[in-house]
């Protein structure tokens, strides 16, 4: 294949390829601009439920401590809740370790790095999201490195880096206080390091690979799926019939040593997991909430589409009409990649995509579940698809013959980069996005609450703590929050013009009285407007009366927004 970077005037090179230096300059500018965008506006998007728990753990607060404060029966201000999003000198690093150990399903590396970042003179949200942003920036050169290690030359690695830099999905997770940007970075870096070790066969490269997989295991438990992928990939590269038996034995020994060292270093967290065998099962039980095949298909159409373009900030449950047709050119691009790319690249990227596709979609199809609705679990698959598409575009641009193929490659590249750039601009101008999941509407709920003397009534539930604190970020200082006390009688506070209820319990509904109506707000399933005359506190029934349905208000839920399976925090 001729290099698309050939200098002008060299005989035998197609004339169209003379523009390659300009295209390389343009790609470099796009990469630098889109990469820098990850570091800007880190505080503009809504702080959602799972990010709230990130900060709670980073600062070493225990779940029971936050729960006791919220559901004490005392009237609280937004600042009273937001103190759990701020550092407290009384909570040390030891408290952070204890808080992380309560949730072994979350590997601790990102949270420990975030704790370090909060020592900077920055707002905690900006500091913690900034950690993700740095990893999101580093992902771009890591993709370039991996693509080159897999054999791509010319413009292809630059195109892969540019597509990842302009991806709206990658921007969103690079600006979220969660571990996904770190997970992707280490996944890509470990794969590139393995490819480099297989090519050069030096001990330094194998130790570098061991370092990356150790860090990868500490970034996300699902990183462990890359170990069998890497094993199959390494065997395919080496065991091709052309290598001597001694080389195969040396490969097995070095790979086993690298993985053995990584697992040994990861064993402290394996012990934490082993001492809480039921914890992960309890936390991930929401994944088994069944959804229909139509929802699964719609989810994957959204995931694949939003990898390249995402211009709507509305949390639609269905993809745009006709967006399913985008699967056709994507499938064609993947097929071309499988046919044209070097076998090592095909094996690694295809195995990575299939393993994470299988772990998400397979159980949903075989046993029923809602994993496919969570794009974060599919991020490795979607990243592999991006690199495959970049490879096909680079091959088309570098074609030795066929001006139509080259022009088509340039056109597709310009279209994807343009749509990605417009999507990132839309995200930067928004205050929330559907990746905030069931918290997406919390900004709108807060605006409703801020228009009057409003009381937020919270009942203890699976999402109550995260949602109450997420809302507190957007509440005006005069708004008050009251959490239903547990296992003792209570009276609802008086003197408020409006009330908004968060996952109201049977006791709260009974206390409100039969004259009240609870209407779901802004299409949510957890927030309700309380309308009608407030119940007389003197007539508030005791807890035992909560079972009397004649005293409970009418509840109106949205018919077009199915209620999510309640869960405390997303398991991964």
């Amino acid at each position: 294949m001729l290099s698309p970077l050939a200098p002008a005037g060299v005989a035998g090179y197609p004339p169209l390829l003379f523009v390659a230096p300009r295209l390389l300059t343009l790609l470099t500018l796009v990469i630098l601009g889109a990469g820098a965008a990850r570091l800007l506006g880190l505080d503009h998007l809504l702080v959602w439920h799972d990010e709230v728990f990130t900060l709670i753990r980073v600062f070493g607060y225990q779940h029971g401590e936050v729960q006791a404060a919220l559901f004490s029966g005392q009237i609280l201000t937004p600042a009273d809740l937001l103190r759990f999003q701020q550092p407290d000198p009384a909570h040390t690093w030891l408290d952070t370790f204890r808080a992380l150990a309560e949730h072994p399903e979350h590997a601790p590396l990102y949270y420990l790095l975030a704790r370090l970042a909060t020592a900077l003179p920055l707002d905690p949200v900006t500091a913690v999201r900034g950690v993700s942003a740095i990893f999101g920036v580093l992902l771009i050169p890591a993709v370039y490195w991996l693509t080159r290690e897999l054999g791509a030359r010319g413009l292809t690695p630059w195109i892969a880096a540019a597509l990842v830099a302009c991806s709206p999905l990658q921007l969103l997770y690079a600006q979220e206080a969660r571990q996904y940007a770190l997970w992707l970075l280490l996944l890509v870096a470990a794969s590139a390091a393995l490819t480099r070790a297989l090519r050069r066969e030096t001990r330094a490269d194998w130790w570098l690979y061991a370092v990356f997989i150790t860090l990868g295991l500490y970034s996300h438990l699902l990183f462990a799926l890359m170990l069998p992928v890497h094993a199959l990939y390494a065997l395919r590269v080496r065991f091709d019939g052309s290598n001597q038996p001694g080389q195969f034995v040396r490969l097995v020994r070095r790979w086993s040593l690298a993985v053995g060292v990584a697992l040994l270093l990861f064993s402290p967290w394996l012990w934490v997991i082993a001492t809480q065998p039921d914890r992960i099962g309890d936390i991930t039980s929401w994944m088994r909430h069944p959804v229909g095949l139509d929802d699964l298909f719609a989810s994957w159409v959204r995931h694949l589409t939003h990898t390249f373009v995402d211009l709507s900030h509305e949390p639609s449950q269905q993809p745009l009409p006709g967006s399913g047709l985008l699967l056709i050119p994507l499938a064609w691009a993947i097929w071309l990649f499988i046919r044209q790319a070097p076998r090592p690249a095909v094996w690694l990227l295809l195995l990575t995509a299939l393993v994470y596709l299988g772990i998400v979609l397979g159980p949903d199809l075989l046993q029923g579940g809602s994993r496919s609705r969570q794009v974060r679990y599919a991020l490795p698959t979607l990243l592999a698809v991006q690199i495959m598409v970049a490879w096909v575009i680079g091959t088309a641009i570098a074609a030795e013959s066929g001006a139509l193929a080259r022009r088509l490659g340039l056109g597709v590249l310009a279209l994807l980069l343009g749509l990605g750039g417009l999507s990132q601009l839309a995200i930067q101008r928004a205050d929330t996005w559907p990746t905030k999941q069931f918290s997406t509407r919390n900004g709108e709920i807060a605006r409703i609450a801020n228009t009057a003397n409003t009381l937020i009534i919270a009942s203890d539930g699976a999402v109550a703590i995260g949602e109450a604190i997420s809302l507190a970020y957007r509440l005006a200082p005069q708004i008050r929050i009251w959490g239903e006390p547990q296992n003792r009688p209570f009276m609802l506070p008086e003197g408020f013009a409006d009330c908004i209820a968060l996952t109201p319990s049977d006791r709260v509904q009974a206390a409100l009285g039969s004259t009240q109506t609870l209407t779901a707000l802004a299409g949510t399933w957890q927030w309700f407007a309380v309308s009608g005359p407030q119940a007389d506190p003197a007539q508030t029934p005791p807890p035992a009366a909560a079972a009397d349905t004649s005293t409970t208000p009418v509840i109106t839920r949205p018919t077009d927004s199915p209620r999510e399976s309640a869960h405390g925090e997303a398991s991964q």
Side-chain angles (χ1 to χ4, degrees):
M1 182 182 297
L2 295 176
S3 170
L5 297 180
V10 177
Y13 283 91
L16 183 61
L17 296 186
F18 295 161
V19 303
R22 295 181 180 179
L23 182 55
L24 177 58
T25 300
L26 178 61
L27 289 173
T28 302
L29 294 175
V30 168
I31 291 169
L32 292 176
R38 283 157 162 72
L39 302 172
L40 302 176
L42 293 174
D43 60 346
H44 76 285
L45 286 179
L46 176 85
V47 180
W48 80 288
H49 176 279
D50 279 12
E51 292 182 293
V52 165
F53 278 96
T54 294
L55 287 164
I56 287 175
R57 298 205 188 106
V58 162
F59 293 126
Y61 297 105
Q62 303 294 313
H63 182 274
E65 179 182 1
V66 184
Q67 186 179 43
L70 176 56
F71 302 108
S72 63
Q74 302 296 315
I75 297 179
L76 306 173
T77 66
D80 291 331
L81 292 185
L82 292 178
R83 72 180 180 88
F84 295 108
Q85 304 286 279
Q86 301 285 336
D88 183 349
H91 290 77
T92 65
W93 277 89
L94 181 59
D95 295 305
T96 296
F97 281 111
R98 288 171 177 166
L100 296 176
E102 282 188 351
H103 291 265
E105 75 279 3
H106 292 281
L109 179 59
Y110 174 80
Y111 300 89
L112 298 177
L113 294 174
R115 170 94 190 207
L116 285 173
T118 57
L120 298 173
L122 296 171
D123 172 79
V125 172
T126 300
V128 177
R129 285 179 172 176
V131 175
S132 298
I134 291 173
F135 296 138
V137 171
L138 293 176
L139 175 64
I140 299 171
V143 167
Y144 175 90
W145 179 29
L146 174 61
T147 310
R148 279 192 61 86
E149 288 291 344
L150 290 175
R153 292 296 181 265
L155 289 176
T156 299
W158 296 93
I159 293 171
L163 288 182
V164 170
C166 289
S167 169
L169 188 64
Q170 298 296 346
L171 171 65
L172 287 164
Y173 280 99
Q175 293 194 329
E176 182 161 303
R178 304 291 285 167
Q179 66 267 45
Y180 306 110
L182 174 61
W183 173 35
L184 282 184
L185 169 63
L186 291 172
L187 186 149
V188 171
S191 298
L194 174 62
T195 305
R196 179 185 177 91
L198 292 172
R199 176 171 57 85
R200 306 201 324 171
E201 295 188 351
T202 66
R203 291 183 178 179
D205 290 325
W206 281 106
W207 282 116
L208 179 63
Y209 172 64
V211 169
F212 279 134
I213 59 176
T214 302
L215 295 176
L217 291 171
Y218 272 107
S219 70
H220 200 295
L221 296 187
L222 289 182
F223 183 91
L225 293 175
M226 290 305 298
L227 298 182
V229 169
H230 286 169
L232 292 174
Y233 167 64
L235 290 174
R236 177 63 181 84
V237 171
R238 277 287 170 263
F239 195 57
D240 58 2
S242 61
N243 295 287
Q244 299 178 358
Q247 292 178 311
F248 173 72
V249 172
R250 185 166 60 251
L251 166 68
V252 172
R253 184 173 64 249
R254 289 182 173 179
W255 185 85
S256 300
L257 177 61
V259 172
V261 169
L263 292 176
L264 179 63
L265 294 174
F266 188 62
S267 59
W269 199 253
L270 290 176
W271 181 83
V272 172
I273 295 173
T275 56
Q276 303 179 71
D278 298 328
R279 178 63 184 171
I280 294 180
D282 292 341
I283 289 293
T284 58
S285 61
W286 64 270
M287 291 183 178
R288 295 186 286 274
H289 177 66
V291 297
L293 291 178
D294 290 344
D295 282 341
L296 293 181
F297 176 76
S299 296
W300 280 100
V301 170
R302 282 198 306 275
H303 300 341
L304 289 166
T305 303
H306 292 172
T307 302
F308 299 96
V309 54
D310 186 2
L311 295 172
S312 174
H313 66 277
E314 291 297 324
S316 172
Q317 292 297 320
Q318 297 296 328
L320 295 175
S323 59
L325 296 176
L326 294 174
L327 298 181
I328 297 176
L330 273 179
W332 178 246
I334 293 172
W335 173 245
L336 288 178
F337 170 79
I338 294 173
R339 290 185 56 192
Q340 299 174 358
R343 293 301 91 187
V346 172
W347 271 86
L348 179 60
L349 295 179
L350 200 59
L351 281 173
T352 300
L354 290 177
V355 163
Y356 284 98
L357 175 66
I359 201 65
V360 176
L361 183 59
D364 287 348
L365 292 176
L366 297 176
Q367 302 174 349
S370 57
R371 301 164 189 81
S372 293
R373 299 180 71 180
Q374 315 302 324
V375 67
R376 57 185 179 269
Y377 303 131
L379 287 174
T381 296
L382 301 176
L383 182 62
V385 169
Q386 284 182 286
I387 298 176
M388 293 180 196
V389 170
W391 204 300
V392 173
I393 293 174
T395 301
I397 293 175
E400 297 181 20
S401 60
L404 179 61
R406 292 195 298 272
R407 292 193 179 97
L408 182 60
L410 288 170
V412 171
L413 176 62
L415 179 64
L416 292 180
L417 294 182
L419 291 175
L422 290 175
S423 300
Q424 293 201 1
L425 181 61
I427 292 170
Q428 293 286 8
R429 298 176 62 182
D431 63 356
T432 189
W433 209 259
T435 50
K436 305 303 180 182
Q437 298 187 33
F438 51 83
S439 300
T440 301
R441 301 289 193 183
N442 283 0
E444 187 175 344
I445 302 299
R447 285 190 290 271
I448 294 172
N450 292 339
T451 59
N453 177 26
T454 305
L455 175 68
I456 308 298
I457 301 174
S459 296
D460 191 10
V463 300
I465 291 176
E467 286 297 274
I469 297 179
S470 172
L471 188 73
Y473 273 99
R474 299 296 180 93
L475 289 177
Q478 73 273 11
I479 305 302
R480 295 295 179 262
I481 303 158
W482 178 84
E484 173 194 351
Q486 298 300 299
N487 303 320
R488 56 188 174 91
F490 65 87
M491 292 191 301
L492 292 176
E494 294 183 281
F496 294 90
D498 293 314
C499 293
I500 294 177
L502 170 60
T503 58
S505 67
D506 291 340
R507 293 202 312 160
V508 166
Q509 294 176 42
L512 288 170
S514 59
T515 58
Q516 303 289 320
T517 299
L518 296 178
T519 305
L521 282 170
T524 67
W525 56 264
Q526 72 274 36
W527 293 105
F528 295 86
V530 180
S531 58
Q534 191 169 355
D536 183 353
Q539 300 299 321
T540 300
D548 183 2
T549 58
S550 65
T551 64
T552 59
V554 177
I555 297 182
T556 304
R557 298 187 186 277
T559 58
D560 59 344
S561 180
R563 181 170 180 171
E564 296 277 355
S565 177
H567 59 285
E569 181 188 4
S571 64
Q572 295 292 344

